[in-house]
Amino acid sequence: MNIKDAIKRKITATFFTTAITAIVLACAYMAAVMRSSPLYQLGEGFSSMFILYSIYVGAIVLIYGNIISAGLEYIHKKWFINHTWFYILLHGLFGLVNGIIFPEFSLVLMLSGMAAALLYALIDRWIYSRMKAQKKIKGFFIFPVFLFVSLWLCFQIISETLPPFTKEEAIEFAADGTPQDVFPKKEGKWKGVINGYNVERETSVKEIGKEKYIVTFTERWAKGTEKGSSLFSYEVDRQSATAHSMEGEEPPY
């Protein structure tokens, strides 16, 4: 088998191993989420975790895994060509290295790294035998894609419908973690005295689209003849709160 076929085999094994490992890890993550959280947007959560794990696993398999595998294959052909099981076992042993690199997650990473390495070696040998027999290997690309799409559809089907994103939630979203956290948490006004200033803080909200709002925080103050005001507004939807406008001056208190 020539170099071109060997590269094709390694890349195919890398794709298959990365995809299957990422799918398994994403499913494990989703199983944990489903035990403790509402069943909202499960398909989106599954695909997001799949992408995240694919990047991590893919980088390791593509660089570290293929370098180790190429070395083991050279040794395999030179010294134990008739002991494929030993070739596969050595992959699993090198897969344990993840637990040494990241000791805080040593057991989980050691086991997952070993499982991924064993899967890589098994697929590598399977592809090798199919290519040697001049059989097609497209199935190693099609199956992970089919499995991912099928699982994504399943998660989408069992997902619950998101409840409406309300004005009250928009106000809370806009105020949380910002200076506007001191304003009323619902539409209305607050009046009080701060350092001798009569202060009025008002929260208002306007719907500008489906589950999209402009939340406005207005502050007015007066002390004798001194008066002033400031205004901050945000465009808010379920995913984000973006600054919309800012007017007035900084309060003197």
Side-chain angles (χ1 to χ4, degrees), residues 25 37-38 47 50 54 57 74 76 82 97 125-126 141 152 155 166 180 185 192 196 207 222 231 233 251:
L25 292 174
S37 303
S47 59
F50 170 79
S54 293
V57 175
Y74 174 79
H76 173 236
N82 296 321
V97 172
R125 291 298 88 190
W126 189 2
F141 290 96
W152 178 82
F155 280 119
T166 64
Q180 285 68 52
K185 298 302 185 292
E207 188 169 5
L231 178 150
S233 66

Side-chain angles (χ1 to χ4, degrees), residues 6 23 59 75 106 138 185 239 251:
I23 286 172
I75 296 172
S106 58
K138 291 181 180 178
K185 298 302 185 292
Q239 281 78 39

Side-chain angles (χ1 to χ4, degrees), residues 1-248:
M1 189 172 289
N2 57 38
I3 296 296
K4 183 179 178 180
D5 287 339
I7 292 174
K8 183 178 180 181
R9 169 164 49 88
K10 296 297 183 184
I11 289 177
T12 305
T14 296
F15 174 82
F16 187 94
T17 302
T18 298
I20 296 300
T21 303
I23 286 172
V24 171
L25 292 174
C27 285
Y29 174 84
M30 294 305 298
V33 168
M34 291 167 65
R35 285 196 295 267
S36 58
S37 303
L39 305 183
Y40 299 141
Q41 297 179 308
L42 296 180
E44 182 180 322
F46 171 70
S47 59
S48 296
M49 295 310 299
F50 170 79
I51 292 171
L52 179 64
Y53 286 126
S54 293
I55 293 172
Y56 171 74
V57 175
I60 293 176
V61 176
L62 182 64
I63 301 172
Y64 171 77
N66 278 302
I67 290 173
I68 294 298
S69 183
L72 291 177
E73 186 162 338
Y74 174 79
I75 296 172
H76 173 236
K77 289 180 178 179
K78 190 169 184 179
W79 286 315
F80 49 92
I81 188 68
N82 296 321
H83 296 84
T84 301
W85 65 269
F86 191 54
Y87 168 81
I88 296 172
L89 177 62
L90 287 175
H91 276 76
L93 293 176
F94 277 98
L96 295 172
V97 172
N98 275 324
I100 299 173
I101 299 174
F102 304 100
E104 63 272 24
F105 305 109
S106 58
L107 181 59
V108 174
L109 287 176
M110 284 174 68
L111 293 176
S112 59
M114 181 179 69
L118 289 172
L119 175 62
Y120 176 97
L122 286 167
I123 295 301
D124 176 73
R125 291 298 88 190
W126 189 2
I127 296 171
Y128 177 82
S129 64
R130 290 188 65 83
M131 292 179 73
K132 194 172 182 180
Q134 296 185 335
K135 293 182 179 180
K136 295 181 179 180
I137 61 172
K138 291 181 180 178
F140 293 98
F141 290 96
I142 296 172
F143 176 73
V145 174
F146 173 78
L147 181 61
F148 169 79
V149 173
S150 298
L151 288 169
W152 178 82
L153 284 173
C154 288
F155 280 119
Q156 284 291 88
I157 290 170
I158 65 175
S159 292
E160 297 176 3
T161 303
L162 280 168
F165 184 63
T166 64
K167 290 182 178 181
E168 291 74 21
E169 290 174 316
I171 292 171
E172 184 179 355
F173 193 4
D176 187 35
T178 72
Q180 285 68 52
D181 190 45
V182 297
F183 282 76
K185 298 302 185 292
K186 58 182 180 180
E187 284 190 278
K189 297 179 180 180
W190 172 90
K191 293 182 179 181
V193 178
I194 302 176
N195 294 336
Y197 288 87
N198 293 313
V199 178
E200 178 183 276
R201 289 171 174 161
E202 180 181 5
T203 299
S204 60
V205 58
K206 178 182 178 182
E207 188 169 5
I208 60 172
K210 185 178 180 181
E211 298 188 349
K212 184 179 289 188
Y213 306 92
I214 296 292
V215 179
T216 303
F217 302 99
T218 305
E219 187 162 4
R220 306 176 185 90
W221 58 88
K223 184 179 182 181
T225 58
E226 183 183 355
K227 294 182 180 181
S229 66
S230 65
L231 178 150
F232 296 86
S233 66
Y234 297 87
E235 185 174 317
V236 183
D237 57 28
R238 190 183 295 275
Q239 281 78 39
S240 63
T242 307
H244 182 261
S245 65
M246 181 176 65
E247 301 175 9

